[in-house]
């Protein structure tokens, strides 16, 4: 059986960046006996999810957090999908950015959140990332010893075109650091992961921060793994924790053979093209 072991870290987020990085390092060390191949972190795992704070926490690519995360991946000999952190470019634009490192600590992927979370739900959540963040413009896939994977961030999952583009480019696993809230989480978190997994016949891994009722933005939590048939393989509750799951990669091939959705598309009538 062609398998890989993944570990999703649902961490608490404090206002202290170094404290958050230290907590991740300690959790990775505690996982050594599990020997995971891939570990994933939540969206904005090293700073509060608060728009006015993103510029204050933002770092250039290769900055302090990047270096620490690279070292962790190398020390633990894992693929590390390092959640997302605020990144600032040379022009001063700030992005919600996800990095992925290989077992040697080399950066093998970088995704800037494409769809900014600007919502105003009647009787629910108001949030506007575009107050301080710029949007990315790249579809992100990358190669590993387990095959090609894709990565996007939170609100990106709501746009099925993006997941389909990653699948068209060969992604068999899609990683999503995310932080749905107490309005959208109960309604759409599990549904979104099951739907995107089913549509594209991929494994979907969603990693969220643990719930903190004292924070200005309250995460739904519930980090999740869904399979290519649309089943939920594992899901945490709202508390801090680790979700460890074995993925049978042969299932992707079997399901795509038995129910050939991707092959059955009518590309003579419609086509999704990467711009």
């Amino acid at each position: 059986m062609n398998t890989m072991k993944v570990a999703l870290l649902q961490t608490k987020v404090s206002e202290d960046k170094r404290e958050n990085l230290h907590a991740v390092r300690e959790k990775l060390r505690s996982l050594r006996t599990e020997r995971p191949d891939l570990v994933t972190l939540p969206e904005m795992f090293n700073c509060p999810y608060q728009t006015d704070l993103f510029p204050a926490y933002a770092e250039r690519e290769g900055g302090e957090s990047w270096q620490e995360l690279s070292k962790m991946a190398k020390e633990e000999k894992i693929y590390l999908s390092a959640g997302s952190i605020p990144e600032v470019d040379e022009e001063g634009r700030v992005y919600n950015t996800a990095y992925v490192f290989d077992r040697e600590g080399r950066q093998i992927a970088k995704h800037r959140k494409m769809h900014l979370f600007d919502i105003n739900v009647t009787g629910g959540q108001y949030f506007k990332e575009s107050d301080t963040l710029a949007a990315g413009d790249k579809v992100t896939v990358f190669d590993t010893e387990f095959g090609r994977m894709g990565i996007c961030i939170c609100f990106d999952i709501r746009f099925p075109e993006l997941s389909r583009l990653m699948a068209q480019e060969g992604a068999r696993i899609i990683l999503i650091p995310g932080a749905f809230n107490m309005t959208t989480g109960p309604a759409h978190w599990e549904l979104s992961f099951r739907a995107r997994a089913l549509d594209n016949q991929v494994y979907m891994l969603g990693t969220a921060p643990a719930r903190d009722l004292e924070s200005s933005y309250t995460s739904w939590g519930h980090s999740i793994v869904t399979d290519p048939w649309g089943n939920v393989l594992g899901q945490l509750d709202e508390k801090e924790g680790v979700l460890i799951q074995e993925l049978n990669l042969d299932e992707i091939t079997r399901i795509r053979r038995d129910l050939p959705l991707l092959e059955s598309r009518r590309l003579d009538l419609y086509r999704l093209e990467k711009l």
Side-chain angles (χ1 to χ4, degrees), residues 42-113:
E43 181 180 24
M44 292 297 184
F45 79 92
N46 76 338
C47 73
Y49 194 64
Q50 191 172 323
T51 55
D52 60 333
L53 293 180
F54 294 153
Y57 281 82
E59 304 176 19
R60 294 284 295 275
E61 181 178 337
E64 175 188 3
S65 295
W66 187 101
Q67 292 179 39
E68 288 298 312
L69 294 161
S70 172
K71 289 177 186 175
M72 292 179 208
K74 186 174 183 179
E75 286 174 2
E76 304 302 327
K77 298 297 181 186
I78 56 172
Y79 287 95
L80 179 61
S81 175
S84 76
I85 62 175
E87 176 219 356
V88 62
D89 69 7
E90 295 179 357
E91 286 74 39
R93 292 183 293 258
V94 179
Y95 298 90
N96 184 343
T97 300
Y99 298 107
V100 182
F101 300 92
D102 69 9
R103 296 185 191 269
E104 296 301 319
R106 295 177 294 236
Q107 179 183 310
I108 55 173
K110 172 182 176 178
H111 178 76
R112 289 169 168 169
K113 191 173 189 176

Side-chain angles (χ1 to χ4, degrees), residues 114-115 137-142 148-152 156 159-172 174 196 199-200 202 256 262 265 271-275:
M114 295 172 63
H115 303 92
D137 60 3
K138 298 289 190 301
V139 178
T140 307
V141 296
F142 56 97
R148 183 163 286 189
M149 302 184 190
I151 187 168
C152 61
D156 286 337
F159 302 89
E161 299 89 348
L162 177 55
S163 296
R164 176 53 54 89
L165 284 169
M166 288 189 278
Q168 285 184 178
E169 294 188 22
R172 293 156 57 86
I174 295 178
R196 297 292 88 77
D199 290 345
N200 299 292
V202 296
R256 289 182 175 185
L262 298 177
R265 289 172 296 151
R271 183 181 302 273
L272 184 60
E273 296 183 353
K274 182 177 175 181
L275 298 178

Side-chain angles (χ1 to χ4, degrees), residues 107-162:
Q107 179 183 310
I108 55 173
K110 172 182 176 178
H111 178 76
R112 289 169 168 169
K113 191 173 189 176
M114 295 172 63
H115 303 92
L116 298 183
F117 186 52
D118 288 2
I119 66 162
N120 187 7
V121 178
T122 302
Q125 187 80 28
Y126 171 85
F127 204 84
K128 195 171 184 182
E129 278 189 325
S130 63
D131 283 344
T132 56
L133 295 180
D137 60 3
K138 298 289 190 301
V139 178
T140 307
V141 296
F142 56 97
D143 292 311
T144 75
E145 68 197 77
F146 301 102
R148 183 163 286 189
M149 302 184 190
I151 187 168
C152 61
I153 300 172
C154 199
F155 201 49
D156 286 337
I157 196 176
R158 290 186 175 274
F159 302 89
E161 299 89 348
L162 177 55

Side-chain angles (χ1 to χ4, degrees), residues 206-223:
T207 313
R211 189 177 305 171
D212 180 358
L213 296 177
E214 296 181 1
S215 64
S216 63
Y217 180 96
T218 305
S219 170
W220 171 240
H222 289 262
S223 296

